Amino acid sequence: MPEGVAGASGQRATRAQTWRRRGADVAAVLVPTVLFALARTVDSNLLLLVTIMVYVVLAQGVNVIYGFTGYLPFGYVGFFGAGAYGTYIAVAHLGAGAVEATVLGGVCAVLVAIVLIPLLRLRGAYFAIASLAAALALSSLVSNPSLQSVTNGPYGADLSQVFSSGGSYWTAVVIVAFAMLVVVVLRRSRLGLQLRAVRADQVSASYAGVNVVAARTGAWLLSALLAGLAGGVYAWAISTFYPTAVFDTTISLFAIVFALFGGVGTVLGPVVGAVVLYYVYNAIGVNDPQYFQLIFGVVIVVIALFLPGGLAAVLLGARRRLATRGADAG
Amino acid sequence: MVLYALIAGVLIGLFYGFAALGLSLAFGVLRVVNIAHGDVIVLGSYLAYELSTQAHINPLFAIPIAVPLAVALGMAFYRFVAPSLGRSSDPEMVSLILFFGVSQVIEALATIGFSVNQDTLLTGPIGNGAVRILGQSFPNYYPAAAAVAVPGALLVMFYLYRSRLGLATRALMSSRADAMLSGIDVDRTSALSFGIALALAASAGALSVYVNGGVAPTDGPGLTTTAFAVVVIGGLGNPGGALVGGLVFGLAEQFAQSYEPNWAGLVPYVLLLAVMLVKPEGLLGRRVRYA
Amino acid sequence: MKVHRRLLGLAGVCAATGGVVAIAATQAQAGHTRASAASAPKQIVVGTLYASSGAYAADSIPQYDGVKFWVNQMNKQGGVYVAAYKKKIHVKLVAYNDQSSPTTAATLYSQLITQNHVNIMIPDFGSVLTAPAVSIAQDHHQLLFDATASGTVFFTPNNPYIVGAGIRNSAFWPDPLVQFLVAKHIKKIAILYDANDFDAAQAATLDHGLIAHGVKPVYYQSTATTTTTYGTLIDSIAATNPQAVIELGYNTNDIPFLNTLPSAGHKFNMVFTVFPGQLPQLFQQQVGTKNLGYTYTYATPPLVPYPKVNLGLNTAQFSRAFKAAFPSQAVDYPAMAGYGTALIAQEALNKATSFSQLAMRRAVGNASGKLTTAIGQFKITKDGEEEGEFLPVGQVFPSHGGTAIKVVYPTNLATTKAKYPAPKG
């Protein structure tokens, strides 16, 4: 796993190192948050910004579950959709305000994740496909005409009575900050340490007293929460949507690719991956989508074969090489 | 109604089993998760479609043309990616991501090369007539698909259990390290297995263009999901398992369409989840696969 | 516990900065005021989206071509007449490709409004791709000239920024079909519909309409929109012995359904599907004369011609001119809906006395019930839903090598009598 800063490896760090690390942590949360908050003065397309923020949060969610546990959720969009519909139900049936509803969307995704905890017994490709099957089942359930009284079934959800482009934008900024905070804290926390130990060697970790199941479940629920909040705020930002729009499996695939491209296991990798690739997609992909998809595919193949650590690994590798060269010269 | 759903379930189920065979082989032997499996099926369908519409040849001739092509391409591709997969600490996950990329590339190329809309073949594999089975009438491609699927699966079984290469393949399936120690050319055997896996997918494509009502460049991921469900239900690396998985999947789908069409879309996924959670080794599988 | 303290610290700093940023941004926003357009703009910007790939490409591309056709027509005449400036102004078309993805469409709609500052906005084909435009447009006070979205959730009394300008709301579509079934005394009716807004709305209208006439459908079921194998479904429909089978899907459903019917071994007196009337060339190519013959569908322009129009070209003139302009593109209903929608936008520009979106909406409201274009009468409800256009029942007849769709109901529009029951064999 690519590691930028020496993690909580148990070695005693000097006071200066501790402060530098804390500074880096604070910056990792603040810089993306501030940049997104200011972005609206540069780019007037608020919905584009919200969409990018949603993908940043989703990529961080993938980071939490895949980067820390090695579980790759192809059906991650299930939580996104659950969040979107949780938000819709909160507004339409519980009369909640949009912000509360967005939070309830996150709760709704966590509830779905609790139901799906047994999936964590599966590994590798089995888990990936099982989570996809769960997302497809959920999508089919939500759009079923028999559930019209709850989800409005095939007729789609309408949140236009609470629509607010500014409100959803600022909520998205807050959710980005929350997602960054989750990843930073997770990396420094006991849970993060346990997860990395489990990922490196499950048996030794469990001998060392790590509750493997509890640690994984924690990461799973946390990543579901992030996706649910992203789904909730996205639902609010577009307001009128059909089940197919929020359960679109390309949403999970985009999130996974963005996270991998930037580098999973790092704090900023997924953010950079999501922002860079989505902007490229929006700029080029829109007019020549087939060629964009072709390039997209080739990029993924290259990452899988030659750059398993993503962009972050390339940059860190370059920095390390520069540092060694500098040391040699001096 | 019962009889119709039963027969249709069996016939379509055999096709599903056949369509999943390549995925089962690649995963069982190589631990390679070919997410692009469905896209290879799509390419097979386009080959059949073009043969029928451009050259006016029976679309089933796509199979003998596709097999050597797919084997050669598959072997070459495997040799290209094997070193990287070998280096990785988690080759299964890397293969998952790698083939996701390949799937995107194939989908993009298919969109550029063929039309974006669904293409449907009007002439069936054996004319346009219906076929009567036990007093029920079916489109003739239902039995045709089953008639290709069963010998196809038998051929794969024969290869695995009656040929030297098949023996080597099975040795690989149970333990890569042991196979290497006993002097098996692991690289060659693996590459060949991958080639055969692609050939099976492409062959299934010639049938899929009928069973699935046509072909579109974006059909791949859906086909991969179905194939994966079938493989998981039946159990891995075992051609018989794939067929059994296909039958279970096909029957569940058809009976659901017959009695509860509102919920039919949900049934295959719920079935897949249920099998994974209750009997994770699959109905015919032996391996333990969870952590 | 260390983690907790650090977490609190981080959260505190974040909250503080967030607050500062929010204040700064609000001030920046307040300082930014829109310059009012006192003089006439150099061009009228028309914004739309299309899908070059994916599920809606078959319908979206012709709709886009229909809009392009109108833009070219206008510019050939020296631009569109804008009443607010009392002169003709050149038209510029801005279009992006959403690839049938609602997520992509959402950001592109936002781009059209916030960056291209379009004057006329026509969303992409169908409800799924139009949905993401509705709230953004309302928020930015941008009027949507809805061409082919028939969604039931879009039209509400408090949203004046959407108007159905092309296709009729799908909930109204089956009205003539209900009357036809009643007039023919067809009592045993099976309805299979796909679980999406477009089809479910039709199915509900059909079901209610029939029940109101004392006819309860013998089979009334939904299935997933992704369904492509129909053998077993047809068999279980046949088990209810219906006289008429009505399948409500998208073209990707209607095609395999029609292709599976003859080989499933059942013959029904009447089979109805949605899309052959809208995309006749596609169905001729992918279903063929034999399987298409004597089935029923909604008859749409250009199959139902409107020779007398008071805005734009009439149906026959449009068909000829469009064929000349886009030789490779069939003249089908989505193309006509694109053109018809653009005509309503033209009416808005022609009549609105001030160059604002609400003034255009008022002009369109005033025109309701007074306009007939190549796709029929333009009439909207007070919420903006299109209700004027009428989709008669059509039947497909084999005719020298191909098929022709003829109107069989209502009788005042019918060009021939329905062949009911459909001939066997």
Side-chain angles (χ1 to χ4, degrees), chain A residues 22 25-27 29-30 33 174 177-182 184-185, chain C residues 2-20:
Chain A
R22 267 184 209 164
D25 283 354
V26 173
V29 176
L30 288 186
T33 311
V174 172
F178 176 69
M180 298 307 299
L181 197 67
V182 163
V184 166
V185 172
Chain C
K2 252 187 191 160
V3 172
H4 288 225
R5 211 184 310 141
R6 230 179 279 144
L7 193 147
L8 278 177
L10 267 179
V13 178
C14 290
T17 325
V20 172

PDB file of all heavy atoms in Angstrom, chain A residues 22 25-27 29-30 33 174 177-182 184-185, chain C residues 2-20:
ATOM      1  N   ARG A  22       0.662  16.792  11.923  1.00  0.00           N
ATOM      2  CA  ARG A  22      -0.627  17.411  12.230  1.00  0.00           C
ATOM      3  C   ARG A  22      -0.961  18.498  11.218  1.00  0.00           C
ATOM      4  O   ARG A  22      -2.099  18.619  10.772  1.00  0.00           O
ATOM      5  CB  ARG A  22      -0.592  18.025  13.624  1.00  0.00           C
ATOM      6  CG  ARG A  22      -1.100  17.041  14.632  1.00  0.00           C
ATOM      7  CD  ARG A  22      -1.158  17.645  15.997  1.00  0.00           C
ATOM      8  NE  ARG A  22      -0.961  16.574  16.946  1.00  0.00           N
ATOM      9  CZ  ARG A  22      -0.650  16.759  18.226  1.00  0.00           C
ATOM     10  NH1 ARG A  22      -0.466  17.982  18.666  1.00  0.00           N
ATOM     11  NH2 ARG A  22      -0.515  15.753  19.019  1.00  0.00           N
ATOM     12  N   ASP A  25      -2.194  16.964   8.123  1.00  0.00           N
ATOM     13  CA  ASP A  25      -3.565  16.471   8.283  1.00  0.00           C
ATOM     14  C   ASP A  25      -4.576  17.602   8.152  1.00  0.00           C
ATOM     15  O   ASP A  25      -5.574  17.481   7.443  1.00  0.00           O
ATOM     16  CB  ASP A  25      -3.731  15.818   9.662  1.00  0.00           C
ATOM     17  CG  ASP A  25      -3.104  14.436   9.692  1.00  0.00           C
ATOM     18  OD1 ASP A  25      -2.661  13.976   8.621  1.00  0.00           O
ATOM     19  OD2 ASP A  25      -3.048  13.844  10.773  1.00  0.00           O
ATOM     20  N   VAL A  26      -4.290  18.690   8.861  1.00  0.00           N
ATOM     21  CA  VAL A  26      -5.212  19.826   8.816  1.00  0.00           C
ATOM     22  C   VAL A  26      -5.305  20.347   7.387  1.00  0.00           C
ATOM     23  O   VAL A  26      -6.398  20.606   6.868  1.00  0.00           O
ATOM     24  CB  VAL A  26      -4.756  20.942   9.776  1.00  0.00           C
ATOM     25  CG1 VAL A  26      -5.612  22.183   9.591  1.00  0.00           C
ATOM     26  CG2 VAL A  26      -4.827  20.451  11.213  1.00  0.00           C
ATOM     27  N   ALA A  27      -4.135  20.446   6.732  1.00  0.00           N
ATOM     28  CA  ALA A  27      -4.136  20.946   5.357  1.00  0.00           C
ATOM     29  C   ALA A  27      -4.914  20.019   4.440  1.00  0.00           C
ATOM     30  O   ALA A  27      -5.656  20.473   3.557  1.00  0.00           O
ATOM     31  CB  ALA A  27      -2.697  21.092   4.868  1.00  0.00           C
ATOM     32  N   VAL A  29      -7.485  18.326   5.035  1.00  0.00           N
ATOM     33  CA  VAL A  29      -8.927  18.543   5.166  1.00  0.00           C
ATOM     34  C   VAL A  29      -9.299  19.924   4.625  1.00  0.00           C
ATOM     35  O   VAL A  29     -10.279  20.076   3.893  1.00  0.00           O
ATOM     36  CB  VAL A  29      -9.367  18.423   6.637  1.00  0.00           C
ATOM     37  CG1 VAL A  29     -10.852  18.735   6.780  1.00  0.00           C
ATOM     38  CG2 VAL A  29      -9.063  17.038   7.164  1.00  0.00           C
ATOM     39  N   LEU A  30      -8.477  20.905   4.979  1.00  0.00           N
ATOM     40  CA  LEU A  30      -8.870  22.279   4.671  1.00  0.00           C
ATOM     41  C   LEU A  30      -8.697  22.649   3.207  1.00  0.00           C
ATOM     42  O   LEU A  30      -9.559  23.317   2.638  1.00  0.00           O
ATOM     43  CB  LEU A  30      -8.073  23.257   5.541  1.00  0.00           C
ATOM     44  CG  LEU A  30      -8.481  23.276   7.001  1.00  0.00           C
ATOM     45  CD1 LEU A  30      -7.731  24.365   7.729  1.00  0.00           C
ATOM     46  CD2 LEU A  30      -9.991  23.510   7.110  1.00  0.00           C
ATOM     47  N   THR A  33     -11.489  21.554   0.927  1.00  0.00           N
ATOM     48  CA  THR A  33     -12.732  22.205   1.343  1.00  0.00           C
ATOM     49  C   THR A  33     -12.761  23.662   0.893  1.00  0.00           C
ATOM     50  O   THR A  33     -13.730  24.126   0.293  1.00  0.00           O
ATOM     51  CB  THR A  33     -12.858  22.148   2.875  1.00  0.00           C
ATOM     52  OG1 THR A  33     -12.609  20.802   3.286  1.00  0.00           O
ATOM     53  CG2 THR A  33     -14.230  22.563   3.328  1.00  0.00           C
ATOM     54  N   VAL A 174     -19.603  20.886   2.849  1.00  0.00           N
ATOM     55  CA  VAL A 174     -19.472  20.345   4.203  1.00  0.00           C
ATOM     56  C   VAL A 174     -19.241  18.834   4.151  1.00  0.00           C
ATOM     57  O   VAL A 174     -18.416  18.286   4.891  1.00  0.00           O
ATOM     58  CB  VAL A 174     -20.737  20.685   5.035  1.00  0.00           C
ATOM     59  CG1 VAL A 174     -20.700  19.962   6.376  1.00  0.00           C
ATOM     60  CG2 VAL A 174     -20.840  22.181   5.238  1.00  0.00           C
ATOM     61  N   ALA A 177     -15.729  18.113   3.312  1.00  0.00           N
ATOM     62  CA  ALA A 177     -14.880  18.292   4.495  1.00  0.00           C
ATOM     63  C   ALA A 177     -14.996  17.088   5.415  1.00  0.00           C
ATOM     64  O   ALA A 177     -13.998  16.570   5.924  1.00  0.00           O
ATOM     65  CB  ALA A 177     -15.294  19.564   5.241  1.00  0.00           C
ATOM     66  N   PHE A 178     -16.229  16.611   5.598  1.00  0.00           N
ATOM     67  CA  PHE A 178     -16.462  15.455   6.460  1.00  0.00           C
ATOM     68  C   PHE A 178     -15.730  14.224   5.913  1.00  0.00           C
ATOM     69  O   PHE A 178     -15.067  13.492   6.645  1.00  0.00           O
ATOM     70  CB  PHE A 178     -17.968  15.202   6.568  1.00  0.00           C
ATOM     71  CG  PHE A 178     -18.320  13.975   7.353  1.00  0.00           C
ATOM     72  CD1 PHE A 178     -18.100  13.923   8.725  1.00  0.00           C
ATOM     73  CD2 PHE A 178     -18.852  12.851   6.725  1.00  0.00           C
ATOM     74  CE1 PHE A 178     -18.418  12.790   9.449  1.00  0.00           C
ATOM     75  CE2 PHE A 178     -19.165  11.718   7.445  1.00  0.00           C
ATOM     76  CZ  PHE A 178     -18.948  11.688   8.811  1.00  0.00           C
ATOM     77  N   ALA A 179     -15.821  14.019   4.601  1.00  0.00           N
ATOM     78  CA  ALA A 179     -15.178  12.850   3.988  1.00  0.00           C
ATOM     79  C   ALA A 179     -13.666  12.918   4.168  1.00  0.00           C
ATOM     80  O   ALA A 179     -13.016  11.909   4.480  1.00  0.00           O
ATOM     81  CB  ALA A 179     -15.539  12.766   2.503  1.00  0.00           C
ATOM     82  N   MET A 180     -13.105  14.121   3.976  1.00  0.00           N
ATOM     83  CA  MET A 180     -11.657  14.276   4.144  1.00  0.00           C
ATOM     84  C   MET A 180     -11.277  13.974   5.593  1.00  0.00           C
ATOM     85  O   MET A 180     -10.293  13.290   5.868  1.00  0.00           O
ATOM     86  CB  MET A 180     -11.208  15.695   3.776  1.00  0.00           C
ATOM     87  CG  MET A 180     -11.449  16.115   2.338  1.00  0.00           C
ATOM     88  SD  MET A 180     -10.799  14.986   1.118  1.00  0.00           S
ATOM     89  CE  MET A 180      -9.061  15.027   1.483  1.00  0.00           C
ATOM     90  N   LEU A 181     -12.106  14.502   6.500  1.00  0.00           N
ATOM     91  CA  LEU A 181     -11.851  14.302   7.925  1.00  0.00           C
ATOM     92  C   LEU A 181     -11.886  12.812   8.257  1.00  0.00           C
ATOM     93  O   LEU A 181     -11.023  12.291   8.981  1.00  0.00           O
ATOM     94  CB  LEU A 181     -12.943  15.048   8.708  1.00  0.00           C
ATOM     95  CG  LEU A 181     -12.674  15.309  10.172  1.00  0.00           C
ATOM     96  CD1 LEU A 181     -11.521  16.288  10.295  1.00  0.00           C
ATOM     97  CD2 LEU A 181     -13.926  15.895  10.831  1.00  0.00           C
ATOM     98  N   VAL A 182     -12.881  12.113   7.710  1.00  0.00           N
ATOM     99  CA  VAL A 182     -13.009  10.677   7.975  1.00  0.00           C
ATOM    100  C   VAL A 182     -11.731   9.953   7.555  1.00  0.00           C
ATOM    101  O   VAL A 182     -11.186   9.149   8.308  1.00  0.00           O
ATOM    102  CB  VAL A 182     -14.232  10.105   7.209  1.00  0.00           C
ATOM    103  CG1 VAL A 182     -14.164   8.593   7.126  1.00  0.00           C
ATOM    104  CG2 VAL A 182     -15.518  10.532   7.905  1.00  0.00           C
ATOM    105  N   VAL A 184      -8.672  11.185   6.983  1.00  0.00           N
ATOM    106  CA  VAL A 184      -7.493  11.604   7.754  1.00  0.00           C
ATOM    107  C   VAL A 184      -7.504  10.934   9.127  1.00  0.00           C
ATOM    108  O   VAL A 184      -6.516  10.347   9.566  1.00  0.00           O
ATOM    109  CB  VAL A 184      -7.473  13.147   7.892  1.00  0.00           C
ATOM    110  CG1 VAL A 184      -6.482  13.570   8.962  1.00  0.00           C
ATOM    111  CG2 VAL A 184      -7.126  13.786   6.562  1.00  0.00           C
ATOM    112  N   VAL A 185      -8.655  11.014   9.792  1.00  0.00           N
ATOM    113  CA  VAL A 185      -8.744  10.444  11.138  1.00  0.00           C
ATOM    114  C   VAL A 185      -8.586   8.930  11.078  1.00  0.00           C
ATOM    115  O   VAL A 185      -7.899   8.330  11.898  1.00  0.00           O
ATOM    116  CB  VAL A 185     -10.082  10.851  11.797  1.00  0.00           C
ATOM    117  CG1 VAL A 185     -10.270  10.107  13.107  1.00  0.00           C
ATOM    118  CG2 VAL A 185     -10.101  12.342  12.031  1.00  0.00           C
TER     119      VAL A 185
ATOM    120  N   LYS C   2      -6.575  10.054  22.323  1.00  0.00           N
ATOM    121  CA  LYS C   2      -5.791  11.043  21.574  1.00  0.00           C
ATOM    122  C   LYS C   2      -6.498  11.406  20.273  1.00  0.00           C
ATOM    123  O   LYS C   2      -6.588  12.552  19.908  1.00  0.00           O
ATOM    124  CB  LYS C   2      -4.424  10.452  21.234  1.00  0.00           C
ATOM    125  CG  LYS C   2      -3.302  11.086  22.046  1.00  0.00           C
ATOM    126  CD  LYS C   2      -1.970  10.592  21.539  1.00  0.00           C
ATOM    127  CE  LYS C   2      -0.874  10.983  22.487  1.00  0.00           C
ATOM    128  NZ  LYS C   2       0.318  10.152  22.308  1.00  0.00           N
ATOM    129  N   VAL C   3      -6.985  10.360  19.651  1.00  0.00           N
ATOM    130  CA  VAL C   3      -7.667  10.553  18.377  1.00  0.00           C
ATOM    131  C   VAL C   3      -8.819  11.537  18.546  1.00  0.00           C
ATOM    132  O   VAL C   3      -9.003  12.430  17.740  1.00  0.00           O
ATOM    133  CB  VAL C   3      -8.188   9.203  17.859  1.00  0.00           C
ATOM    134  CG1 VAL C   3      -9.066   9.420  16.652  1.00  0.00           C
ATOM    135  CG2 VAL C   3      -7.028   8.299  17.534  1.00  0.00           C
ATOM    136  N   HIS C   4      -9.540  11.365  19.626  1.00  0.00           N
ATOM    137  CA  HIS C   4     -10.721  12.211  19.818  1.00  0.00           C
ATOM    138  C   HIS C   4     -10.333  13.680  19.943  1.00  0.00           C
ATOM    139  O   HIS C   4     -10.964  14.529  19.353  1.00  0.00           O
ATOM    140  CB  HIS C   4     -11.472  11.774  21.073  1.00  0.00           C
ATOM    141  CG  HIS C   4     -12.172  10.485  20.860  1.00  0.00           C
ATOM    142  ND1 HIS C   4     -13.458  10.231  21.237  1.00  0.00           N
ATOM    143  CD2 HIS C   4     -11.742   9.355  20.258  1.00  0.00           C
ATOM    144  CE1 HIS C   4     -13.800   9.015  20.884  1.00  0.00           C
ATOM    145  NE2 HIS C   4     -12.767   8.456  20.301  1.00  0.00           N
ATOM    146  N   ARG C   5      -9.263  13.907  20.710  1.00  0.00           N
ATOM    147  CA  ARG C   5      -8.873  15.296  20.893  1.00  0.00           C
ATOM    148  C   ARG C   5      -8.460  15.908  19.550  1.00  0.00           C
ATOM    149  O   ARG C   5      -8.845  16.999  19.187  1.00  0.00           O
ATOM    150  CB  ARG C   5      -7.746  15.405  21.911  1.00  0.00           C
ATOM    151  CG  ARG C   5      -7.802  16.722  22.674  1.00  0.00           C
ATOM    152  CD  ARG C   5      -6.623  16.852  23.621  1.00  0.00           C
ATOM    153  NE  ARG C   5      -6.449  15.666  24.442  1.00  0.00           N
ATOM    154  CZ  ARG C   5      -5.241  15.173  24.734  1.00  0.00           C
ATOM    155  NH1 ARG C   5      -4.153  15.741  24.277  1.00  0.00           N
ATOM    156  NH2 ARG C   5      -5.135  14.110  25.491  1.00  0.00           N
ATOM    157  N   ARG C   6      -7.687  15.102  18.805  1.00  0.00           N
ATOM    158  CA  ARG C   6      -7.221  15.590  17.512  1.00  0.00           C
ATOM    159  C   ARG C   6      -8.409  15.852  16.592  1.00  0.00           C
ATOM    160  O   ARG C   6      -8.473  16.835  15.878  1.00  0.00           O
ATOM    161  CB  ARG C   6      -6.305  14.546  16.887  1.00  0.00           C
ATOM    162  CG  ARG C   6      -4.997  15.137  16.424  1.00  0.00           C
ATOM    163  CD  ARG C   6      -4.125  14.073  15.830  1.00  0.00           C
ATOM    164  NE  ARG C   6      -3.432  13.324  16.847  1.00  0.00           N
ATOM    165  CZ  ARG C   6      -3.176  12.011  16.761  1.00  0.00           C
ATOM    166  NH1 ARG C   6      -3.584  11.324  15.723  1.00  0.00           N
ATOM    167  NH2 ARG C   6      -2.517  11.406  17.692  1.00  0.00           N
ATOM    168  N   LEU C   7      -9.347  14.929  16.663  1.00  0.00           N
ATOM    169  CA  LEU C   7     -10.533  15.042  15.807  1.00  0.00           C
ATOM    170  C   LEU C   7     -11.277  16.333  16.111  1.00  0.00           C
ATOM    171  O   LEU C   7     -11.640  17.087  15.210  1.00  0.00           O
ATOM    172  CB  LEU C   7     -11.425  13.841  16.090  1.00  0.00           C
ATOM    173  CG  LEU C   7     -12.576  13.554  15.126  1.00  0.00           C
ATOM    174  CD1 LEU C   7     -12.777  12.050  15.058  1.00  0.00           C
ATOM    175  CD2 LEU C   7     -13.835  14.235  15.566  1.00  0.00           C
ATOM    176  N   LEU C   8     -11.444  16.591  17.426  1.00  0.00           N
ATOM    177  CA  LEU C   8     -12.138  17.811  17.816  1.00  0.00           C
ATOM    178  C   LEU C   8     -11.399  19.040  17.305  1.00  0.00           C
ATOM    179  O   LEU C   8     -12.010  19.974  16.780  1.00  0.00           O
ATOM    180  CB  LEU C   8     -12.267  17.875  19.348  1.00  0.00           C
ATOM    181  CG  LEU C   8     -13.430  17.071  19.941  1.00  0.00           C
ATOM    182  CD1 LEU C   8     -13.401  17.152  21.452  1.00  0.00           C
ATOM    183  CD2 LEU C   8     -14.742  17.591  19.396  1.00  0.00           C
ATOM    184  N   GLY C   9     -10.083  18.991  17.461  1.00  0.00           N
ATOM    185  CA  GLY C   9      -9.279  20.119  16.999  1.00  0.00           C
ATOM    186  C   GLY C   9      -9.463  20.356  15.523  1.00  0.00           C
ATOM    187  O   GLY C   9      -9.758  21.472  15.076  1.00  0.00           O
ATOM    188  N   LEU C  10      -9.355  19.285  14.784  1.00  0.00           N
ATOM    189  CA  LEU C  10      -9.502  19.386  13.324  1.00  0.00           C
ATOM    190  C   LEU C  10     -10.868  19.940  12.956  1.00  0.00           C
ATOM    191  O   LEU C  10     -10.983  20.863  12.145  1.00  0.00           O
ATOM    192  CB  LEU C  10      -9.371  17.998  12.701  1.00  0.00           C
ATOM    193  CG  LEU C  10      -7.987  17.582  12.229  1.00  0.00           C
ATOM    194  CD1 LEU C  10      -8.050  16.168  11.663  1.00  0.00           C
ATOM    195  CD2 LEU C  10      -7.496  18.535  11.158  1.00  0.00           C
ATOM    196  N   ALA C  11     -11.883  19.381  13.617  1.00  0.00           N
ATOM    197  CA  ALA C  11     -13.246  19.810  13.304  1.00  0.00           C
ATOM    198  C   ALA C  11     -13.409  21.296  13.609  1.00  0.00           C
ATOM    199  O   ALA C  11     -14.031  22.028  12.834  1.00  0.00           O
ATOM    200  CB  ALA C  11     -14.247  18.990  14.117  1.00  0.00           C
ATOM    201  N   GLY C  12     -12.822  21.739  14.714  1.00  0.00           N
ATOM    202  CA  GLY C  12     -12.911  23.138  15.079  1.00  0.00           C
ATOM    203  C   GLY C  12     -12.314  24.041  14.024  1.00  0.00           C
ATOM    204  O   GLY C  12     -12.952  24.991  13.556  1.00  0.00           O
ATOM    205  N   VAL C  13     -11.101  23.686  13.614  1.00  0.00           N
ATOM    206  CA  VAL C  13     -10.430  24.498  12.600  1.00  0.00           C
ATOM    207  C   VAL C  13     -11.240  24.514  11.313  1.00  0.00           C
ATOM    208  O   VAL C  13     -11.446  25.558  10.685  1.00  0.00           O
ATOM    209  CB  VAL C  13      -9.004  23.953  12.343  1.00  0.00           C
ATOM    210  CG1 VAL C  13      -8.325  24.767  11.261  1.00  0.00           C
ATOM    211  CG2 VAL C  13      -8.198  23.975  13.626  1.00  0.00           C
ATOM    212  N   CYS C  14     -11.747  23.338  10.953  1.00  0.00           N
ATOM    213  CA  CYS C  14     -12.532  23.248   9.718  1.00  0.00           C
ATOM    214  C   CYS C  14     -13.744  24.152   9.786  1.00  0.00           C
ATOM    215  O   CYS C  14     -14.035  24.900   8.848  1.00  0.00           O
ATOM    216  CB  CYS C  14     -13.036  21.820   9.499  1.00  0.00           C
ATOM    217  SG  CYS C  14     -11.732  20.700   9.086  1.00  0.00           S
ATOM    218  N   ALA C  15     -14.458  24.081  10.906  1.00  0.00           N
ATOM    219  CA  ALA C  15     -15.675  24.859  11.046  1.00  0.00           C
ATOM    220  C   ALA C  15     -15.359  26.353  10.923  1.00  0.00           C
ATOM    221  O   ALA C  15     -16.049  27.086  10.204  1.00  0.00           O
ATOM    222  CB  ALA C  15     -16.327  24.569  12.386  1.00  0.00           C
ATOM    223  N   ALA C  16     -14.295  26.771  11.585  1.00  0.00           N
ATOM    224  CA  ALA C  16     -13.921  28.184  11.553  1.00  0.00           C
ATOM    225  C   ALA C  16     -13.635  28.633  10.127  1.00  0.00           C
ATOM    226  O   ALA C  16     -14.189  29.624   9.638  1.00  0.00           O
ATOM    227  CB  ALA C  16     -12.710  28.416  12.442  1.00  0.00           C
ATOM    228  N   THR C  17     -12.806  27.847   9.433  1.00  0.00           N
ATOM    229  CA  THR C  17     -12.463  28.226   8.073  1.00  0.00           C
ATOM    230  C   THR C  17     -13.687  28.206   7.174  1.00  0.00           C
ATOM    231  O   THR C  17     -13.889  29.091   6.345  1.00  0.00           O
ATOM    232  CB  THR C  17     -11.412  27.276   7.492  1.00  0.00           C
ATOM    233  OG1 THR C  17     -10.550  26.908   8.545  1.00  0.00           O
ATOM    234  CG2 THR C  17     -10.662  27.907   6.361  1.00  0.00           C
ATOM    235  N   GLY C  18     -14.510  27.182   7.387  1.00  0.00           N
ATOM    236  CA  GLY C  18     -15.721  27.062   6.588  1.00  0.00           C
ATOM    237  C   GLY C  18     -16.550  28.326   6.715  1.00  0.00           C
ATOM    238  O   GLY C  18     -17.027  28.874   5.729  1.00  0.00           O
ATOM    239  N   GLY C  19     -16.669  28.824   7.944  1.00  0.00           N
ATOM    240  CA  GLY C  19     -17.446  30.023   8.184  1.00  0.00           C
ATOM    241  C   GLY C  19     -16.889  31.214   7.427  1.00  0.00           C
ATOM    242  O   GLY C  19     -17.614  31.914   6.718  1.00  0.00           O
ATOM    243  N   VAL C  20     -15.574  31.394   7.517  1.00  0.00           N
ATOM    244  CA  VAL C  20     -14.923  32.517   6.838  1.00  0.00           C
ATOM    245  C   VAL C  20     -15.173  32.434   5.337  1.00  0.00           C
ATOM    246  O   VAL C  20     -15.564  33.417   4.695  1.00  0.00           O
ATOM    247  CB  VAL C  20     -13.406  32.512   7.139  1.00  0.00           C
ATOM    248  CG1 VAL C  20     -12.695  33.544   6.279  1.00  0.00           C
ATOM    249  CG2 VAL C  20     -13.165  32.769   8.615  1.00  0.00           C
TER     250      VAL C  20
END
